[in-house]
Amino acid sequence: MRTPLPKILITCAITGNLTRPDQTPHLPVTPEQIADSALGAAEAGAAAVHIHVRDPQTGRPSMELDLYRDVMERIRRSNPQLIINLTTGPGGRFVPSTDDPSIAGPGTTLMIPERRVEHIAALKPDICTLDLNTMNSGGQVVINTPANVRRMARVITDAGVKPEIELFDSGDIALLNDLLADGTLSGPVLTSFVMGVRYGFQPTPETVLYARNLLPQDAAFTAIGIGRAAFRSVALSYLAGGHVRVGLEDTVHLEQGVLATSNAVLVEKARRIAEDLGAQIANPTEARVLIGLPERPAGARQAA
C-alpha cells in the first residue's frame, strides 16, 4: 500500500507533439513562446517542464537541435533551477501505405534510435522521456522495440541524463522490469502512466492502482490524463502516491467548453486540486532531491 507523498512535484507539458494550433490559439509554437510559457508555468508552481519543439513557421512538430537549444537557453537564463525534461518520443510512428502495408505511408516518422536522442547527447537536459510503447495509436502504430529502446537508453545514460519512463500499457511495465533486470536501466526509476490514448491505458482509479502495483516498490510515478481526464488524473495520481502533470500537450481546456489561455492557468488549477487534497508542492530545488537529480550550480544558466 502507498499513501500520498509528503511533497509532490508538478510537471507542465508545454506544447506536445499532437496538439494542433487549430485546436487552440494559445498553443506556444516558437522557441520564445515555448520558453515563456514554461517560465510562466514555473511561476504558477511547476517544478519541471516537459518540452517538445515546433517549426516556428508551420507550427508542426520538429526535432531540430537548434530549436531545443534555443528553448533551453532561454529557460536557463531566467530560471536555472527549473527541471527541464526533453522528449524523445518523435521518430517512432509508422503509418502503413494503403496499397502495401509493408511500405511507409505519409505521416511515418520512424527513424534510427540514435537520431531520436541526438539532442539529449548534445544538450544534456535534466530529464528526458523514454517511451516503451509499441501499440496502436488511433489509426497508426507507434513502434519502440526492446532493442531500439536499449539503444536509446545507452545514449541517455552516457549523457548523464535521467530517463522518465513513459508507460502506455501493462506490457510496457513488463519491459521496464526486464530493462532493470539486465542493467539497461538502474533504479529507482522515474515513470509515468499515460492514460487516455486510444488503445492504451484508460484513465480510471483501477488503472492507476493496477499499474502502480506492477512497478518496483521504489519507483516514482505520475499518472497523466489526456483530454478530459487531465484534472481527474491529478487527483488520482496524488491519492495513489504519485506526482502530477498537466499542460497544453495533455489538454487544451481549463474546464468543459473553456479553452485554457496558458499553461500557467492549467498548473494553477492542478495545484489547487492537489493542495485541496492535502498535498505540499515542491519547488525545483526540492523536486531535484525528490527524484534524485543534482542541484544545478548557482549561476549556471546556459544549456550544455
Side-chain angles (χ1 to χ4, degrees):
M1 178 177 178
R2 295 198 196 188
T3 58
L5 295 168
K7 194 163 275 193
I8 63 167
L9 75 96
I10 298 175
T11 297
C12 185
I14 302 300
T15 189
N17 192 51
L18 299 180
T19 307
R20 304 186 310 275
D22 65 312
Q23 291 176 287
T24 173
H26 308 296
L27 187 71
V29 170
T30 69
E32 181 178 14
Q33 290 169 348
I34 292 169
D36 286 349
S37 192
L39 293 168
E43 290 178 3
V49 288
H50 175 57
I51 303 295
H52 291 245
V53 292
R54 292 173 177 265
D55 184 317
Q57 303 304 317
T58 66
R60 294 178 61 81
S62 174
M63 295 181 67
E64 288 300 317
L65 175 60
D66 286 346
L67 295 175
Y68 282 111
R69 178 180 285 111
D70 192 355
V71 171
M72 283 189 63
E73 289 180 347
R74 289 174 184 272
I75 292 172
R76 290 280 184 243
R77 280 196 295 268
S78 295
N79 191 336
Q81 291 302 321
L82 183 61
I83 297 169
I84 296 179
N85 175 341
L86 299 186
T87 186
T88 69
R93 191 167 293 269
F94 181 79
V95 184
S97 65
T98 303
D99 296 332
D100 185 348
S102 68
I103 297 173
T108 294
T109 64
L110 204 60
M111 60 181 64
I112 63 170
E114 289 76 12
R115 170 72 177 89
R116 295 175 60 184
V117 289
E118 66 178 9
H119 59 303
I120 306 304
L123 300 177
K124 297 178 174 58
D126 302 296
I127 298 173
C128 70
T129 56
L130 181 62
D131 297 354
L132 300 194
N133 60 318
T134 293
M135 63 182 290
N136 292 318
S137 178
Q140 303 172 350
V141 177
V142 173
I143 300 175
N144 291 292
T145 65
N148 285 353
V149 167
R150 287 184 170 90
R151 288 167 63 178
M152 294 174 66
R154 187 176 304 114
V155 174
I156 294 167
T157 299
D158 289 348
V161 175
K162 187 176 186 69
E164 179 191 28
I165 311 303
E166 296 218 341
L167 306 163
F168 291 74
D169 213 336
S170 57
D172 300 347
I173 304 178
L175 176 55
L176 167 63
N177 288 326
D178 283 351
L179 297 174
L180 287 166
D182 69 16
T184 299
L185 299 174
S186 58
V189 288
L190 179 64
T191 70
S192 57
F193 312 141
V194 183
M195 306 184 301
V197 177
R198 186 176 294 179
Y199 311 129
F201 274 142
Q202 293 308 297
T204 66
E206 291 84 358
T207 294
V208 176
L209 296 179
Y210 169 63
R212 181 201 68 183
N213 291 342
L214 293 175
L215 291 175
Q217 186 61 36
D218 62 355
F221 72 90
T222 301
I224 302 166
I226 304 301
R228 65 184 62 187
F231 291 110
R232 183 165 73 242
S233 297
V234 167
L236 291 176
S237 190
Y238 169 68
L239 292 172
H243 301 286
V244 303
R245 184 179 111 165
V246 289
L248 289 170
E249 174 173 355
D250 302 334
T251 180
V252 299
H253 289 100
L254 186 64
E255 56 188 73
Q256 186 172 356
V258 178
L259 289 175
T261 56
S262 67
N263 276 297
V265 299
L266 294 172
V267 172
E268 288 168 358
K269 182 172 180 177
R271 180 171 189 161
R272 286 198 304 273
I273 292 169
E275 288 180 333
D276 283 350
L277 292 171
Q280 295 186 44
I281 309 302
N283 64 36
T285 301
E286 294 168 330
R288 286 176 180 276
V289 175
L290 287 176
I291 59 175
L293 291 176
E295 184 175 354
R296 285 181 59 80
R301 295 180 178 273
Q302 298 298 318

